[in-house]
Amino acid sequence: MAPASTSVYPAKQHFVATAQKLGATSGVIFVRGGDTIVHPDSDTEYEFHQDSSFYYLSGVIEPGYAAAYDIASSTAILFAKHVSADEAVWVGVPASLDEQRAAYGFDQAHYTHDIESVISALRPERIFALAHHSTENLGSAASIDTERLLDAVHEARVFKDDHEIAIMRRANAISSAAHEVLMREAKQGMNEAELRGRFVGLALAQGCSYEAYGSIVARGRNAAVLHYTKNNMALADASAMVLVDAGGSLSCYASDITRTWPIGAAFSAECRAIYAVVLAMQKAVIEACAPHRQWQDMHLLACRVAAQGLVELGMLRGDLDDIMARHVVGYFMPHGIGHLIGIDTHDVGGYPRGTERINAPGLRYLRARREMLPRMAFTVEPGLYFVDTILAEARDTPAVAQHIDFDVVAKYRAVGGVRIEDNIIITETGCDNLTTCPKEIAEIESIRATAYQ
Amino acid sequence: MAPASTSVYPAKQHFVATAQKLGATSGVIFVRGGDTIVHPDSDTEYEFHQDSSFYYLSGVIEPGYAAAYDIASSTAILFAKHVSADEAVWVGVPASLDEQRAAYGFDQAHYTHDIESVISALRPERIFALAHHSTENLGSAASIDTERLLDAVHEARVFKDDHEIAIMRRANAISSAAHEVLMREAKQGMNEAELRGRFVGLALAQGCSYEAYGSIVARGRNAAVLHYTKNNMALADASAMVLVDAGGSLSCYASDITRTWPIGAAFSAECRAIYAVVLAMQKAVIEACAPHRQWQDMHLLACRVAAQGLVELGMLRGDLDDIMARHVVGYFMPHGIGHLIGIDTHDVGGYPRGTERINAPGLRYLRARREMLPRMAFTVEPGLYFVDTILAEARDTPAVAQHIDFDVVAKYRAVGGVRIEDNIIITETGCDNLTTCPKEIAEIESIRATAYQ
């Protein structure tokens, strides 16, 4: 499929950004695209997903390509897969080399069988490559550095340019609209699989290539399984909620959105109470996201808002600072507040080299720990869950257990779990929320009412 | 996800069938399930599809399992993946060993960390394994044969039992219904992607796990690209047709169905003429499918019906036997008449060891060449296409060109291509068509008319 927009893909700009992060003034950057792989003992192909860094540097979604960039002369070179006449019967006649060069924004285009001669003609002293790409047939004269490019391209990918933000905004618009259709159509008695199918169908119909990740459609207690992917149970109980975590991938860019809403027309009292706390967590974090703040502080902010909310519900007790110091909320939100997002759903660059994870409940699984800067993209996805095994661990940990009223927990156990997840871009002054699906309680109940009219 | 039906999976029967094909009276059959794989430099998992032969022998769709069968004592042993308490937070608490043993129809169940001790305790002289499965940690005493099991399990898989036929029938019913929805809803101006999305959404909603293969939605001339998967162009021309080749995979069993129908409410004269020939080809083959007939003869029968039809249209000329001898129809149907289908879309066993392909247009790509026998499952998928490069080759081949009126071909070029594909099971007396989607011209036009009402 051609690039999603009619504009030229900014391949060269992405090479320039990568070379800047690399800090090299000469040498050649060389990257290979992915190839199709088949299931063992079968001719069934895995659905092809392009190598993420190769996509960033080329814009090519087809298998069998490569690309290079001569740093000193700032020359971006595309190596296209050659399609024989016999193959063209099966896959179609490809665009010409020059058409491909122009569409992806390269200075030159050749076929992959000319990689060695084209690279050799550049006479590079050094070739920067990625350790997971083959460096065979690049010519023998240059020294090949497979150490430095990875961090450089990861760092370049962390900062989204206007082209990338436009695609991510569109991926979010498509996926937000699909979430809203589910909210509008789902009825008690439907199966989780029907919701997943409806979501995927809508995302594909609007131009997404695939789910950015395995969708989670979890009703009631299933939402307490964080990566629930069975998606095969009936929405039996109108007083329960269903959690839908799903996003389409558009032109290789992920969206990652979660909504949780009642199976019936309105939230039960228990569901509404927990939902309100999670919504407050999410809104506080989105309000706080701004340049130069630390991502891990957003996690702690969410925990503090949760602690306040759960104290008000009588589920937690004691001093807020003590609750925070003992990571009590980590037993209810065992995952991190969010992650970088881009070509990969869990995008690269969350832990710059030398940054360590924090070993504490909840924080342990935080997928990014760094200063927020303009053009970074994050998910903001607080949640609260009632996971039996984790609650048992809390009960067995006196310093934590003293802050929890387990009788109140029992009252809310049937809620299962709530998560609300949007995708944001850090701006010069704060952040821009790409996700447009309703999440306010009144909005949701108004939409859910239409399902039963 | 649990097996689709509530009945016990016939794992042991499938081991018994495989041991019979193996012709061994002692020794242990050992097979491993697939593991999840991630995209390089990313934590994004490929959507997991179970190893096909492992699924056949176990019924397990989750990654990380293994299974064994002691031939002499007829003991089927499941090795389940052990899920730690920490992992259970993310993936849920699995069923107990005994529940899994019972659900899949095994005699024993253990965890995979006990493979070596359990296998060793059987004291096998020989272990039969598949060359693409790891044979590490099976105990050192036995000799390991990775040569003979592959053909045996492939041959066992060729013959579908009642459990398998029931699943394939259901997969066909789901996919047939989805095809019919597309036929009922598609309108001029829609995009191919909308049809693909609608199909996938309906298949997933009805319990399919994924597309059995990359769907093809090809309007007009796109249908002349045999493996067209871009699926991103508008259904602009009401006088053209759209070819939809799509099937859901249910409980690991593929369906593979193609329908071609007008974008407008009725077939154009040219489309109708070509469609009628393909329909005649398909009906003739389905009528002829029966035990002890050769599959390659079904291909030749389709070609003969096509030759007659195209002679009647004035597109071909000359003696039918000459047209057949010169494989003229192969320039219009460059693929085979169909293939075995089962767990794999292009299922195993098409060319039993020692059987060679026939190197002639069309026949070259025939995916099976063997005697039809009861319980074999095939696709029947004749097609006629107007592929410019192939027609140029025909024009350059005097023995072929003399039979073709290229002025008439030019008149039909805009048709692009037509394919009609059903899935059949060979019975004792003929065959049973699993595919229920309408294909008669009058039926299709009646359904298409509703799209514009």
Side-chain angles (χ1 to χ4, degrees), chain B residues 363-383:
Chain B
L363 277 164
R364 189 174 294 142
Y365 294 112
L366 190 61
R367 293 183 189 271
R369 191 180 164 198
R370 60 185 292 170
E371 183 186 7
M372 286 183 269
L373 290 170
R375 296 189 175 277
M376 286 182 177
F378 288 94
T379 66
V380 180
E381 49 174 313

Side-chain angles (χ1 to χ4, degrees), chain B residues 184-264:
Chain B
R184 200 172 295 281
E185 293 183 352
K187 282 192 171 64
Q188 184 182 12
M190 279 185 179
N191 194 285
E192 292 166 346
E194 293 179 73
L195 272 57
R196 186 217 168 192
R198 189 76 171 117
F199 182 89
V200 174
L202 289 164
L204 297 183
Q206 294 302 310
C208 288
S209 303
Y210 34 76
E211 294 169 286
Y213 51 93
S215 298
I216 297 169
V217 181
R219 57 90 162 139
R221 288 287 305 159
N222 293 341
V225 176
L226 297 185
H227 282 176
Y228 175 81
T229 54
K230 292 197 168 92
N231 303 338
N232 64 353
M233 294 186 73
L235 308 184
D237 179 2
S239 72
M241 293 184 290
V242 59
L243 179 156
V244 181
D245 183 348
S249 174
L250 181 74
S251 298
C252 289
Y253 281 82
S255 60
D256 183 355
I257 300 173
T258 308
R259 289 293 183 269
T260 312
W261 35 269
I263 292 170

Side-chain angles (χ1 to χ4, degrees), chain B residues 38-237:
Chain B
V38 296
H39 293 268
D41 187 30
S42 159
D43 72 350
T44 307
E45 289 180 359
Y46 281 91
E47 183 173 53
F48 181 70
H49 294 200
Q50 185 57 280
D51 180 278
S52 300
S53 288
F54 181 76
Y55 181 78
Y56 172 72
L57 292 171
S58 70
V60 175
I61 68 167
E62 284 89 0
Y65 279 62
Y69 179 68
D70 183 58
I71 297 171
S73 67
S74 192
T75 307
I77 306 168
L78 178 68
F79 295 104
K81 180 187 167 89
H82 184 262
V83 177
S84 71
D86 270 7
E87 289 171 298
V89 170
W90 298 86
V91 301
V93 178
S96 72
L97 274 185
D98 198 59
E99 285 166 340
Q100 295 190 59
R101 182 198 60 70
Y104 296 114
F106 281 81
D107 298 305
Q108 301 178 15
H110 307 272
Y111 289 114
T112 50
H113 51 240
D114 291 325
I115 287 174
E116 184 160 8
S117 61
V118 171
I119 298 286
S120 294
L122 295 170
R123 302 182 178 279
E125 286 187 9
R126 179 164 299 176
I127 295 173
F128 299 100
L130 296 171
H132 69 281
H133 291 172
S134 165
T135 53
E136 287 186 7
N137 301 325
L138 295 183
S140 57
S143 78
I144 296 177
D145 178 340
T146 59
E147 296 291 317
R148 292 168 58 193
L149 181 58
L150 188 72
D151 284 357
V153 68
H154 283 188
E155 273 303 296
R157 285 171 53 189
V158 165
F159 300 91
K160 273 67 180 175
D161 64 21
D162 290 348
H163 176 94
E164 296 177 282
I165 292 170
I167 291 172
M168 293 181 71
R169 194 181 301 280
R170 174 87 185 124
N172 258 272
I174 291 169
S175 300
S176 292
H179 272 277
E180 192 169 339
V181 168
L182 266 52
M183 226 183 257
R184 200 172 295 281
E185 293 183 352
K187 282 192 171 64
Q188 184 182 12
M190 279 185 179
N191 194 285
E192 292 166 346
E194 293 179 73
L195 272 57
R196 186 217 168 192
R198 189 76 171 117
F199 182 89
V200 174
L202 289 164
L204 297 183
Q206 294 302 310
C208 288
S209 303
Y210 34 76
E211 294 169 286
Y213 51 93
S215 298
I216 297 169
V217 181
R219 57 90 162 139
R221 288 287 305 159
N222 293 341
V225 176
L226 297 185
H227 282 176
Y228 175 81
T229 54
K230 292 197 168 92
N231 303 338
N232 64 353
M233 294 186 73
L235 308 184
D237 179 2

